[in-house]
Amino acid sequence: MRVLVTGGAGFIGSHIAEALVAAGHEVVVLDAFLPSAHPGGADVGDRPGVRTVRGDVRDADTVEYALRGVDAVCHQAAMVGLSTDFADAPDYVGVNDLGTAVLLAAMARRGPRELVLAGSMVVYGEGRYTCELHGAVRPGPRRVADLDAGRFEPPCPTCGAPLLPALVGEDAPTDPRNVYAATKLAQEHLAAAWARATGARAISLRYHNVYGPGMPRDTPYAGVASFFRSALARGEAPRVYEDGGQRRDFVHVADIARANVAALQAVADREAGVLAPFNAGSGTPHTVGEMAAALAEAYGGPAPVVTGEYRLGDVRHITASSRRLAAELGWRPTVDFATGMAEFARAPLRGQAPAGGRSRR
């Protein structure tokens, strides 16, 4: 099968391209090589099993060219992470939503009819919570006054009691709470509309916090794992926001690549005209503070600093249940938290030379 991987030279996309080649597929990479994803530049040449097209997914002619002879599309190209300012909104909408619309329009004209979309857990907003008195509840956005006072846990919206976070299933309501989240949900709606209009088949893999070798260094749009790893590479302590108790699901990029291979192999058997969402996470929650401590310990210090700072638009807890992906597509994560963090502590980031002898392992 010949697969177009948009954003296929980026952090996650490059791992997916390698996994597809290893599985016997031919890959076409379409990537704009934006500095935010490729600090220090990038090698744009072809490699065995991979043909590279340099161009923007918003350019219809480039997309048409990249789609020639393609059997399926794995759409990874996106501007990621929580925006530094609402002024970034046009860039997020342009890259994520206009880019997706241009791609899907080209696919509607010339095919193919099978799509795997890089979704995100951010579409859920806050995660799943239960109140001892009121059962399952959905807390609203956290108040600035509470955050300023260091009250980071969202209370029950009915009685104000403490809540217990739990795993989120794909049937949970969506509630995007920042610009990036809104664009990721819009991508799913566009893909669903395309599938209905063309009788195509689509899967959205709602990634949780992906980490691993090749994350871009020192960019405000990278994930929290990259923030911490970049700080350690500079000899600085990772700065942990809030009290470090935010629960996330950290999933290794190799497992996400395998999930994409499984989804591409299964998408042809899905129901036509429907987008099927699947959570893609490790299934084992950890706090942000635990992740920072594990990275710092494996790297050889310095120890993290808990700052009490916060970012508006961040949610407190969001962790996934990936049981549906395991049950229907046969995928299971293989890299456990301790092993993955020890590897990530040693692995180079994009824009950084390989780590030296600071690691303890």
Side-chain angles (χ1 to χ4, degrees), residues 2-355:
R2 180 179 294 173
V3 182
L4 172 63
V5 182
T6 69
F11 164 49
I12 297 175
S14 61
H15 285 271
I16 293 170
E18 291 175 6
L20 285 168
V21 170
H25 301 293
E26 182 182 350
V27 174
V28 179
V29 162
L30 172 61
D31 203 294
F33 293 92
L34 299 176
S36 59
H38 302 273
D43 180 6
V44 301
D46 295 341
R47 54 192 187 275
V50 179
R51 179 170 66 90
T52 300
V53 177
R54 182 166 188 162
D56 197 309
V57 73
R58 293 169 289 186
D59 182 81
D61 290 340
T62 300
V63 172
E64 291 266 5
Y65 173 74
L67 281 171
R68 292 177 184 173
V70 164
D71 302 302
V73 174
C74 184
H75 184 33
Q76 306 294 313
M79 188 171 177
V80 301
L82 182 63
S83 62
T84 57
D85 189 276
F86 197 84
D88 293 330
D91 292 331
Y92 277 90
V93 173
V95 173
N96 297 357
D97 298 339
L98 177 59
T100 298
V102 170
L103 172 67
L104 294 174
M107 292 172 68
R109 287 191 297 271
R110 63 178 304 128
R113 293 290 185 266
E114 296 171 4
L115 170 72
V116 174
L117 172 69
S120 176
M121 53 81 183
V122 296
V123 301
Y124 297 118
E126 282 286 354
R128 182 170 177 246
Y129 293 86
T130 57
C131 171
E132 188 175 57
L133 293 177
H134 298 99
V137 297
R138 291 189 59 77
R142 295 182 294 173
R143 300 186 307 165
V144 171
D146 288 335
L147 296 171
D148 286 340
R151 295 187 294 268
F152 301 118
E153 294 288 344
C156 174
T158 301
C159 66
L163 298 175
L164 180 66
L167 298 181
V168 177
E170 290 87 351
D171 58 347
T174 54
D175 183 18
R177 297 193 177 185
N178 56 57
V179 171
Y180 171 60
T183 64
K184 295 306 288 184
L185 184 57
Q187 282 186 310
E188 289 196 352
H189 288 320
L190 287 166
W194 163 80
R196 287 193 297 271
T198 63
R201 295 166 169 84
I203 286 174
S204 177
L205 296 177
R206 290 174 175 171
Y207 300 162
H208 280 248
N209 290 68
V210 186
Y211 73 95
M215 291 190 84
R217 178 185 178 182
D218 292 331
T219 166
Y221 301 100
V224 66
S226 179
F227 294 165
F228 294 163
R229 180 65 177 77
S230 295
L232 291 166
R234 297 191 301 267
E236 301 172 3
R239 293 176 60 82
V240 180
Y241 280 9
E242 303 187 15
D243 59 1
Q246 311 95 299
R247 286 161 53 97
R248 297 290 188 269
D249 185 321
F250 300 101
V251 58
H252 194 276
V253 67
D255 284 329
I256 288 297
R258 290 176 47 254
N260 275 271
V261 174
L264 281 163
Q265 292 170 341
V267 67
D269 297 327
R270 308 304 300 181
E271 182 182 355
V274 174
L275 179 136
F278 292 88
N279 289 332
S282 73
T284 307
H286 290 274
T287 68
V288 171
E290 288 171 343
M291 188 267 285
L295 267 183
E297 196 267 335
Y299 191 83
V305 174
V306 177
T307 69
E309 298 172 284
Y310 63 87
R311 298 188 304 176
L312 283 176
D314 270 345
V315 297
R316 180 61 175 176
H317 304 297
I318 177 64
T319 55
S321 168
S322 299
R323 286 176 291 191
R324 182 181 177 192
L325 187 57
E328 296 189 23
L329 302 190
W331 172 90
R332 286 176 176 77
T334 61
V335 183
D336 66 81
F337 180 79
T339 301
M341 289 297 162
E343 176 212 33
F344 184 48
R346 296 190 297 267
L349 303 178
R350 290 176 182 246
Q352 172 197 359

